Amino acid sequence: MDTGSATGVQLSTMNGDAKSKPSSPLVSSAPNKEVHAEDFLSRHSTSVRAGERASFGTYFNAFPASYWRRWTNLETVRLRVRTVGTGAVSVYKSSARGALQHVQTQRVTGEEVSTFELSLNPFGDGGWYWFDLVAGSKSFVLEEAEWQAPGEPVKSGTVTLEITTLNKTSFCINNLRILGEHPEALANVKEVLIVDQGTQKVADAEGFAEVEAMLGGKLRIVNQANLGGSGGFARGMYEAVESGSDYVLLLDDDVVMEPESISRLLTFADRCKTPTIVGGHMFDLYNRTVLHTFGETVNSYRFQPDQPHAEMSLGHDFVRSNLRQTSWMHRRVDVDYNGWWMCLIPTQVIRDIGLSLPVFIKWDDAEYGLRAKSAGYPTVSMPGSAVWHVSWIDKDDLVGWQAYFHTRNRMIAALIHSPYEHGGRVVRETGYIDLKHLISMQYYTAQGRVMAMRDLLKGPGHLHELLPTKLPEIRAMAKEFSDSQIQSEPEAFPAPVMHKPPRHGQGFAAPSYATLIPWAAKTVVRQLTKKIPQTSKEHPQAYIAHQDNKWWRMSQYDSAVVSNAEGTGASWYQRDPKQLRVLLAESLRLNAEILKNWQSLSDQYREALPEITSFEAWKSTFEQHSEESK
């Protein structure tokens, strides 16, 4: 990073741009006080009104001391605050439990620089530093503030910044413009690489010539067939190593980046004790004060994404509870992986453990984090560094074409990394999930899951060849299933008719744990043997909102129109005893075969991992599916 002073290196600067932050970076210490947008003078400068206090104990401006304490050799940090006017600069810290403590106050007048030397020793398990400004009888202006590392500068590594995209041209152009407007973020970026896998090309989009010129020759576009997220990100990894970069920064296409976060990730990674994967957090693009997650692990028994601590919450809204009020956010969170919406990976790690698993989408980031961890390379999800990403709140990717990739890739990751005999609960839960989809009349989803298990049993040798072909195959199958055919208007379906409501009109409830097995057996027998009334073939029995689309509810209908998660349409679920019989039998057979052969399958996938993630294997795939590049 740029030298912050004669004896210090800048770690991060304060963020003061209300337009580009997920929450106002200044939050008054008094809850009834409002933040005034007109007080923000620039990205790094703001004004505090006479007699008021403004706290920088916020997500983007506080210093996550425990992360620097744990993962770097830094022993102290310097806070340098430049102000104009009369007031006070007060430094605070927190403990891992979220207890707040005053550290030091300096009173200032005129144009003055306040410097604080702060120890990182007390932050073994968690805690942050931040400062407040208190104005005197007149306004008090913050010109700039920096967190600095004392001592000689550390040589900054170079970065290949890579975005994998599929027909998200407007997002790409916007992010390229953000980079062009903030050249300081590009100081250590050797190349901005767009891996374009779509039919709507970024190079043909409106505004491309302008942003290309803004990036001063650093932009390159690689066009290739749609190899999924894993194929796009693997290309980014490959090109970063080939170009001699020290890091690759992987970014999703449907994000809005914060340029300061690039500098923060790089500065932290440069100072880590060992080569470390450093990821940014994800905020909701359409609800910008909401943080998706503070960090993720993999539950090794169930092999499902999990939260490291029970008190953590998904979708934390900083409007409801800011950093200082959220005690669990002060405990350091150690993770297994970071989502590839924003993730900085040292090329040394890539050269050692290989590229992404060739699995198209789903589980590629989690598997890579686990692979890196087993090789001795940690992952850190770094607070204060983030992007805004299109949220998954209004999506259900467990249903539909993505179910294939969820099912297959979760099992592949478990075969490679599960420490448990027979993979813990993975196979058992797969069978449960299959049954839930089947009794819910989601036959398209169930068929995709059956295909996933068949392909899993074929072994790892076919994964590369499936990258460009499996998605078209799954989507072509959709026309065979009514539950996968979306209609945008309710009038596309016949009016609902139900002469005899289920459960004698008493409503629906999930079976208890004690009654689940007999309930499931009875439900399957009923769905296999009960004759479907002619009216249910000609009319749905009900319209079901997506939030009411629960397996224990849907299992009681013979047919229903069900809206999708996005709210853009609905499909007609129709009970089909023949489909249920065939798919249930196949699911039971495949799950039994996988369980029986778990150890031999695990050996196959583990032995093949170095080959299928190698530079040579991926290079062959890229050469077969590359298009003309810019």
Side-chain angles (χ1 to χ4, degrees), residues 218-472:
K218 290 190 174 184
L219 177 63
R220 180 163 67 99
I221 294 181
V222 172
N223 293 302
Q224 66 182 28
N226 183 13
L227 305 179
S230 68
F233 290 130
R235 187 64 180 266
M237 295 176 179
Y238 179 91
E239 297 291 343
V241 172
E242 288 291 295
S243 71
S245 292
D246 297 303
Y247 304 93
V248 62
L249 177 58
L250 304 179
L251 287 163
D252 265 342
D253 56 355
D254 51 348
V255 303
V256 172
M257 66 175 67
E258 162 49 57
E260 171 75 12
S261 293
I262 299 171
S263 303
R264 294 184 181 189
L265 293 183
L266 177 59
T267 304
F268 184 82
D270 281 340
R271 289 182 169 272
C272 283
K273 300 172 186 176
T274 61
T276 301
I277 298 171
V278 186
H281 288 152
M282 169 190 151
F283 280 86
D284 187 340
L285 180 60
Y286 301 122
N287 192 4
R288 291 197 170 201
T289 60
V290 174
L291 177 68
H292 169 59
T293 179
F294 207 62
E296 293 179 287
T297 56
V298 174
N299 182 313
S300 59
Y301 188 62
R302 297 185 60 212
F303 233 83
Q304 289 279 40
D306 203 357
Q307 295 190 99
H309 308 303
E311 64 269 22
M312 291 174 60
S313 63
L314 287 171
H316 177 80
D317 191 345
F318 281 102
V319 165
R320 296 179 180 272
S321 180
N322 64 32
L323 174 64
R324 290 161 295 144
Q325 298 164 335
T326 309
S327 58
W328 61 259
M329 206 169 282
H330 294 255
R331 179 178 179 179
R332 191 187 69 248
V333 173
D334 296 335
V335 302
D336 288 332
Y337 70 98
N338 196 93
W340 284 352
W341 48 73
M342 185 182 203
C343 193
L344 186 76
I345 304 175
T347 50
Q348 178 179 334
V349 174
I350 300 169
R351 286 191 294 268
D352 188 12
I353 72 172
L355 284 70
S356 171
L357 202 63
V359 292
F360 198 78
I361 59 169
K362 307 301 179 189
W363 280 92
D364 46 358
D365 49 8
E367 188 282 327
Y368 200 84
L370 292 173
R371 198 188 333 159
K373 183 179 181 180
S374 66
Y377 300 115
T379 297
V380 176
S381 290
M382 189 64 186
S385 303
V387 293
W388 290 270
H389 192 292
V390 174
S391 171
W392 296 289
I393 290 176
D394 292 329
K395 297 180 181 179
D396 186 358
D397 57 5
L398 297 177
V399 174
W401 64 268
Q402 296 184 70
Y404 168 92
F405 298 103
H406 267 294
T407 305
R408 186 196 65 175
N409 298 349
R410 176 192 177 204
M411 280 194 164
I412 289 175
L415 285 166
I416 296 170
H417 297 290
S418 175
Y420 295 98
E421 187 178 7
H422 304 303
R425 281 180 58 94
V426 173
V427 179
R428 192 190 325 170
E429 286 193 359
T430 299
Y432 294 162
I433 296 169
D434 290 343
L435 181 59
K436 287 179 179 180
H437 287 301
L438 285 167
I439 63 177
S440 300
M441 303 175 286
Q442 294 170 342
Y443 303 120
Y444 176 57
T445 296
Q447 180 65 57
R449 293 176 60 85
V450 163
M451 290 174 63
M453 289 185 281
R454 288 175 184 159
D455 285 346
L456 179 86
L457 287 164
K458 292 176 183 176
H462 71 298
L463 288 174
H464 274 276
E465 66 187 56
L466 288 181
L467 281 170
T469 62
K470 183 53 68 171
L471 177 58

Side-chain angles (χ1 to χ4, degrees), residues 415 457 460 593-607:
L415 285 166
L457 287 164
E593 186 174 351
I594 291 169
L595 189 62
K596 177 184 176 182
N597 298 300
W598 183 269
Q599 191 56 56
S600 63
L601 284 167
S602 177
D603 292 342
Q604 287 181 48
Y605 279 91
R606 288 177 179 179
E607 290 171 7

Side-chain angles (χ1 to χ4, degrees), residues 14-25:
M14 299 299 100
N15 282 308
D17 186 350
K19 295 180 180 177
S20 63
K21 297 295 164 290
S23 60
S24 296

